[in-house]
Amino acid sequence: MESLQEPSTVPLPLPPDARGILPDRMIAAMADAGLILPDQPFVESQIQPASLDLRLGATAFRVRASFLPGPGATVAERIEDLKLHEIDLTGDAVLETNCVYVVPLLESLALPPSICAAANPKSSTGRLDVFTRVIADGTSRFDMIHPGYHGPLYAEISPKTFPVLLREGSRLSQIRFRVGDAVLGSTALQALHAKERLVDIDDPDLSNGLALSVDLSGEGSGGFVGYRAKRHTGVVDIDRRGGYAVEEFWEPIRARDDLSLILDPGEFYILASKEAVQVPPDFAAEMVPFDPLVGEFRVHYAGFFDPGFGYAGAGGQGSRAVLEVRSREVPFILEHNQVVGRLVYEHMLARPSALYGQRINSNYQGQGLKLSKHFRAP
């Protein structure tokens, strides 16, 4: 499928054979058509090239445990069963580490049968080790909203490393809307790489997505390969940009002679991919969950890569994927150049009005090893 139509040529409602991720202006059109129902008007930069930022509502519920409502049940009913107390988010509020909170979102949905949705943490949320997922009524999976869903959305939030300060309107998650199956198979991905050069290596592994490996060499970064989060730090304000000194929250990790890194259980690391990647304007990408059979660790909470990420025409020259890494129950040794994830590409339904990094001063365009936007560059 080719998705090279001019921005003005793709209407809503959608044609019967449409397949792809909806771009920014079609997300706006969904709101105009009553398919997205915000309690408050959208704010500047809330609509991204291929996703919509979701905003927290006025109340957070501390609950005893994470849950899924399951078929026939609502999230509100489960909150009533499990809540410990309520927290007012109309002013500043602190969410503590290793507690579970559920927050109704300001956006609800009235999707048609042709459109489904998927959610993911925003990049800055993942880089703070704030574990967050979106829940919808009647669902048996996190972050997945089935076609035709009519109802509210909720965010489950559990800060794992730093306590966080937030408020009504704070944005931790983003949602993508798609029609049909638009994932590129291996053959189509090979053809796209031949045309656009998706990654800065000559012979990439493109089976089941673009394979990404970890960079533990320290080359090009002054001998540093990443950061390990400190424990017992101060609070991080989710909405404060460049407000914190790196050394108060992070320990830099230098490259070892054997180009390896031992992941300690329960610790959180920021690393980077060896490869610099790009997402062409007519495509979007997502980092898929890593296969646990080849390593006892989790990589990348935040998985959406917008059209134009790392793309020269949008101000990038290839961008490395930042890896949010947490070991599981046992220590695990990562080796330089070890494959840690795959980037799956999908067609856009149409090219966005603005590519990643063009409309706003994106913190991560052209990135290398980089912490979230909350920290001042060392």
Side-chain angles (χ1 to χ4, degrees), residues 291-314:
D291 183 356
L293 298 179
V294 296
E296 289 298 321
F297 60 94
R298 176 192 173 106
V299 170
H300 222 286
Y301 290 164
F304 288 163
F305 289 66
D306 273 341
F309 178 85
Y311 192 69

Side-chain angles (χ1 to χ4, degrees), residues 182-196:
V183 173
L184 276 68
S186 298
T187 301
L189 197 58
Q190 291 277 3
L192 181 61
H193 176 66
K195 179 182 178 182
E196 295 279 8

